[in-house]
Amino acid sequence: MNQLLSLQQYYLFIGGWSALGIITAFYLLRREAPYGRYTTEKWGPMVSNKLGWILMETTVLVSFFVWQPPATVKWTSPAGVMTGMFLLHYLHRSFVYPFMIRTRGKKMPLVIMLSAMLFNTVNGSLLGSWFAHYAQYPDDWCSSVPFIVGTLCFFAGMLINWSADYHLIGLRGKGETGYKLPRGRLFEYVTSPNLMGEILEWGGYALLTWSAPALAFFIWTCANLVPRAAANQRWYRQRFPDYPAKRRILIPFLW
């Protein structure tokens, strides 16, 4: 797809999108988004939880590759490596994780699915257009400090996120849909290591790409997941009297 915006217009759009993410964070700190354990039918029509996940997450892949079709990617270039890392996360998120979660019979509000699809369309388009039209990386970028440190954070965050997600999935037996108090591993230190890992992952991606759209993606990730982590701890404390008093929300020993 041809470039639609000048670089200045592109950055102005990203600035506005990032500002909207910060506003959203303050809203979500006051009111939980109604999906997962906070699902409520008060938000209108419902759809299958698994179908919702698949549609939400594949949207970002479609929007990304509309701007940068796979056949045009130079996979051995710095931008190609970054595209591959992005693809790795979302292939797992779109086509592996939804089939692993044990949420038989659970639903999510249609409006949540559609809003997530809009969110992913914008973020996928910003990143796809960045790599297709605006990014200019030197050939040795993959040996730079931002790329190396960011890559370490990206894969460390991915490992933490996947490990914690599958630990949570493993708490449920076949046919079970209730919630249990997770213990062990990083759950001894924070309520939501899965969310902590995802924040670290996209913070690393913003660093290794050294780009405005990836920074906006990181801002939106924090806007969604930081309030979610705080809400999760409140939820656990209300329902489990033996919830560990020293377990932090998102950052071990600090918060």
Side-chain angles (χ1 to χ4, degrees), residues 10 13-21 56-57 59-65 67 86 90 115-131 198 202 205 211-224:
Y10 176 75
F13 183 88
I14 290 174
W17 180 242
S18 299
L20 180 60
M56 287 189 306
E57 303 301 340
T59 297
V60 76
L61 290 173
V62 172
S63 59
F64 184 94
F65 286 117
W67 292 93
F86 184 83
Y90 275 102
S115 63
M117 290 176 70
L118 174 61
F119 163 78
N120 281 332
T121 296
V122 175
N123 281 310
S125 296
L126 288 175
L127 280 166
S129 59
W130 167 257
F131 291 124
E198 190 162 356
W202 292 115
Y205 197 74
S211 67
L215 177 59
F217 204 140
F218 175 64
I219 289 171
W220 271 97
T221 298
C222 292
N224 282 304

Side-chain angles (χ1 to χ4, degrees), residues 4-152:
L4 297 180
L5 301 175
S6 69
L7 184 59
Q8 183 179 17
Q9 292 171 327
Y10 176 75
Y11 280 133
L12 284 173
F13 183 88
I14 290 174
W17 180 242
S18 299
L20 180 60
I22 294 171
I23 294 170
T24 300
F26 283 104
Y27 173 80
L28 292 176
L29 284 169
R30 299 173 62 88
R31 185 170 185 177
E32 296 91 352
Y35 66 91
R37 70 195 65 186
Y38 309 105
T39 297
T40 171
E41 294 185 359
K42 294 179 180 179
W43 284 68
M46 309 288 282
V47 297
S48 162
N49 193 61
K50 186 168 294 187
L51 176 63
W53 266 105
I54 295 171
L55 292 177
M56 287 189 306
E57 303 301 340
T58 54
T59 297
V60 76
L61 290 173
V62 172
S63 59
F64 184 94
F65 286 117
V66 161
W67 292 93
Q68 185 183 223
T72 67
V73 179
K74 297 179 180 179
W75 293 101
T76 57
S77 68
V81 172
M82 296 169 191
T83 296
M85 295 167 73
F86 184 83
L87 185 61
L88 175 62
H89 173 91
Y90 275 102
L91 284 176
H92 174 268
R93 203 67 172 169
S94 302
F95 304 114
V96 178
Y97 178 76
F99 295 98
M100 299 296 293
I101 54 178
R102 295 169 180 170
T103 57
R104 179 180 297 178
K106 288 197 171 185
K107 297 182 180 296
M108 69 168 63
L110 177 63
V111 67
I112 292 297
M113 185 193 79
L114 294 176
S115 63
M117 290 176 70
L118 174 61
F119 163 78
N120 281 332
T121 296
V122 175
N123 281 310
S125 296
L126 288 175
L127 280 166
S129 59
W130 167 257
F131 291 124
H133 301 297
Y134 304 106
Q136 294 182 349
Y137 295 102
D139 291 339
D140 63 350
W141 178 254
C142 291
S143 62
S144 68
V145 172
F147 183 87
I148 293 172
V149 175
T151 298
L152 290 174

